[in-house]
Amino acid sequence: MVLVNLLNRSPGVICPEATLTAAIQELHHQHLPLLWVCGAEGQLLGFLSQSAILAQVLAHPSGFNTDDLRVGAIMFPPPAPLTLAELREDNDLQAWFTTHKLPLLPVVDGGGKLVGAIAQTDYAAAQLEAEKAAHQRSEARRQALLQAIPDLMIRYSRNGKYLEMLCGGNVQPLDNFPDNTGAEIWEVLPPNLASQRLYYIHKTLDSGEMQRYEYEIEVSPGKWCHEEAYITISGTDEVIMLIRDISERVKVQLALAQEKALMQSLIDSIPDLIIYKDLEGIYRACNQSARGLLGKSQQEIIGKTDFELFPEALAQTHRDHDLHALNGQISIRREKWITFKDGTQRLLEIEKTPFVDDQGMMLGIIGVGRDITDRQQAIEDLLNTLTKEKELLDLKSDFITIASHEFRTPLTVIMASAKLMRHCLDRFTPQQQAEQLDRILRSSDRILALLEDILVLNQADADQLNFIPAPVNLEQFCQELYQELMATQLNSTTVQFHYIGPPDCSVTLDDKLLRYILTNLLNNAIKYSFNPNPIEFIVTLGQHYIQFTITDQGIGIPADALAYVFQPFYRAKNVGNVPGTGLGLAIVKRAVDLHSGTVDCRSQLGQGTTFTVRLPRFVGF
Ligand code: ADP
């Protein structure tokens, strides 16, 4: 008898009789499948729970049919004092068998004698069904899981033999279909891909580290897939390779990269500087102009903060501005002169604006710098033009005022003398006639001189004043000019002329312009001097410069007027009745400028004035 045999081999859980009933009841309560084990005489030897049977059967599989595992059995004769009849009539047990759907099957010997009973459990069958169903469910789940995983798994030997394949749902690589288990890698893949894969298999096995690589594979004629592979060690000289079709991802990445490149070239084509920093102040993007300003490449800027790109103080200013804009959630704008790497300086208008996502979450700050140098220059030019126009208007007004006075005075003199001559000519002595004629001539000269001054200044302002340098004997030229002046000069002021330099030395100058310069300065010195204080006219011929110094001890020039005396029509307030137009020094200045020289004026009010003119000795060289 099989079960007795089991008992003989291993007694299972043998309980002392005293506790047997309690144990059985307990097991009944727990609805545990139970095997009663009886001796040959029908006496109860003990019982085995189903799990105990299972353990026994597993320990001795050869002695049992696995079907027995699913049999809950009861061995008869039942434990004394029960007889078979009594067993049949035992309500409790009957009820228990009924509850557990354990039909009792009679067991008879060869002579038809009832020797016991065995129960085939529906319970076991139901459990089997349940187990089967659970297994099926689990298998279905596993399949679903595998289907859900888009990856293909291949187990390879070191030399590239396909040991096992587990095909994921979506992968359509060349080595997915058919099942290549048992095949060699060279039989499945094109040579280049096979050797590449072998290389990574070996690398994985040799390094012990997971490898990843990507490749393109032609899965059907003309149809290419982009795949990525991860390889890990799975056992001695074996690897597991996980292959994933990333064609879509690569396509998306490509599209993203193209979009990014398009965006980059768009912002690069904008002449304004554009930068983007995150909340920590790290540069995340910048355009061509910004790179030009910083004189750095994209790689040198992206990922850096201002503190890595600029001196500390400047970086702190930038950061403060950023935080000001970020914390206040406002745009801030300022103008700043920036020196570019090539040394050029440009005025930038910089606007910083916080950058938020579509949920309103603050992401960083966008800075746009616009070069407004030209705009600023245009504004300044416009202002200059306006100022010049105003100056011109003032000049016209000054001219009218001065001219009306300066022309009227000599013209009045001329007319008065002419009338006198006409009406009283016969009564005038020859000397009186000569005096009247002299007055007419002097007044005419004065008008002519005024017209000449206006003409020269006009030519100078229109850049039409000719500058024709030629060799001049400096000492001789100055000497003659001095004597002419002395001959025509009316008041008794004396001029002391000194020439310091090598005699008869020739210098290169425009003698006409030099005449304007010296005549005006000397005439002014005489005009604004008190008799009899002498005037000093010193000409010094240096190695590189010719210097003319004219010093008087006259009325002097008020300090606040010194800056204006070279402007046309300007006259200081202390000139009193001394006639003049305010044009002489303006002409001097322009004539000196044409020689690339300098003119300087020093004066003490009421004490005198010194004008110093320095002209380069070799003009035009
Ligand atoms: P003006 O015809 O009035 O002399 P200038 O252009 O020659 O015109 O001189 C401009 C002004 O400079 C004069 O009006 C005068 O106020 C001042 N000035 C020039 N030279 C002298 C000088 N030697 N002494 C005092 N003031 C002078």
Side-chain angles (χ1 to χ4, degrees), residues 227-244:
E227 295 180 349
E228 73 176 353
Y230 291 88
I231 312 179
T232 50
I233 291 184
S234 87
T236 322
D237 263 10
E238 284 180 19
V239 295
I240 290 261
M241 183 165 183
L242 198 129
I243 298 172
R244 187 172 294 168

Side-chain angles (χ1 to χ4, degrees), residues 184-205:
E184 297 294 336
I185 200 165
W186 302 101
E187 298 164 2
V188 177
L189 294 177
N192 58 333
L193 291 183
S195 59
Q196 183 189 40
R197 191 166 292 181
L198 261 184
Y199 165 78
Y200 281 105
I201 289 172
H202 290 166
K203 197 168 176 195
T204 308
L205 286 168

Side-chain angles (χ1 to χ4, degrees), residues 46 147 207 262 444 560 587 609:
Q147 291 296 317
S207 68
L262 177 70
S444 303
D560 60 351
I587 292 171
T609 306

Side-chain angles (χ1 to χ4, degrees), residues 312-535:
E312 169 111 25
L314 185 58
Q316 192 58 54
T317 316
H318 287 177
R319 185 65 182 147
D320 290 346
H321 282 127
D322 292 355
L323 290 175
H324 180 51
L326 285 170
N327 295 337
Q329 300 194 12
I330 46 162
S331 283
I332 53 169
R333 186 182 294 187
R334 68 202 166 96
E335 290 178 7
K336 194 172 175 217
W337 279 99
I338 303 269
T339 307
F340 281 74
K341 217 188 171 194
D342 62 2
T344 51
Q345 289 201 318
R346 309 291 291 175
L347 181 65
L348 295 191
E349 180 187 74
I350 298 168
E351 181 158 5
K352 290 187 171 175
T353 312
F355 178 59
V356 291
D357 66 8
D358 48 7
Q359 311 292 319
M361 175 112 140
M362 194 88 73
L363 295 177
I365 196 149
I366 291 183
V368 178
R370 182 159 301 158
D371 187 342
I372 56 165
T373 321
D374 294 340
R375 189 177 83 189
Q376 194 66 18
Q377 189 60 50
I379 291 172
E380 275 169 24
D381 288 351
L382 192 66
L383 284 175
N384 281 342
T385 310
L386 287 175
T387 313
K388 278 203 179 119
E389 273 179 13
K390 184 172 180 306
E391 278 172 3
L392 208 64
L393 278 175
D394 291 348
L395 215 63
K396 275 184 190 161
S397 149
D398 290 346
F399 174 74
I400 290 165
T401 313
I402 299 269
S404 58
H405 178 260
E406 285 301 307
F407 278 110
R408 179 177 290 159
T409 311
L411 276 173
T412 310
V413 172
I414 291 170
M415 281 179 74
S417 294
K419 275 181 189 164
L420 270 176
M421 294 280 279
R422 183 170 184 186
H423 296 299
C424 313
L425 190 62
D426 48 344
R427 279 177 274 153
F428 278 173
T429 62
Q431 192 190 342
Q432 284 174 322
Q433 287 176 11
E435 275 172 14
Q436 291 306 323
L437 284 174
D438 278 349
R439 287 185 70 197
I440 290 174
L441 282 175
R442 275 203 305 278
S443 295
S444 303
D445 280 349
R446 201 170 142 189
I447 292 172
L448 269 180
L450 175 62
L451 283 175
E452 172 78 4
D453 280 356
I454 291 170
L455 203 67
V456 170
L457 195 66
N458 200 35
Q459 282 176 336
D461 283 346
D463 287 334
Q464 286 172 353
L465 192 59
N466 286 332
F467 173 58
I468 308 166
V472 175
N473 183 321
L474 186 65
E475 186 181 5
Q476 189 187 342
F477 178 88
C478 293
Q479 187 73 42
E480 284 172 8
L481 188 101
Y482 161 71
Q483 276 161 6
E484 265 173 44
L485 198 75
M486 288 296 97
T488 54
Q489 110 100 345
L490 291 179
N491 66 24
S492 56
T493 310
T494 54
V495 178
Q496 297 166 351
F497 170 63
H498 301 285
Y499 171 78
I500 306 165
D504 288 332
C505 193
S506 176
V507 292
T508 307
L509 294 165
D510 183 320
D511 59 348
K512 195 172 164 202
L513 295 183
L514 184 61
R515 182 174 287 276
Y516 284 140
I517 296 169
L518 297 178
T519 315
N520 272 307
L521 293 179
L522 285 165
N523 275 333
N524 277 353
I526 295 167
K527 202 163 64 170
Y528 297 112
S529 281
F530 309 112
N531 296 332
N533 296 339
I535 288 158

Side-chain angles (χ1 to χ4, degrees), residues 524-525 527-528 552 555-557 565 570-572 575 580-586 609 611:
N524 277 353
K527 202 163 64 170
Y528 297 112
D552 65 55
I555 62 171
I557 301 172
V565 289
Y570 181 83
R571 306 201 72 206
V575 292
T581 57
L583 293 177
L585 288 184
T609 306
F611 279 92

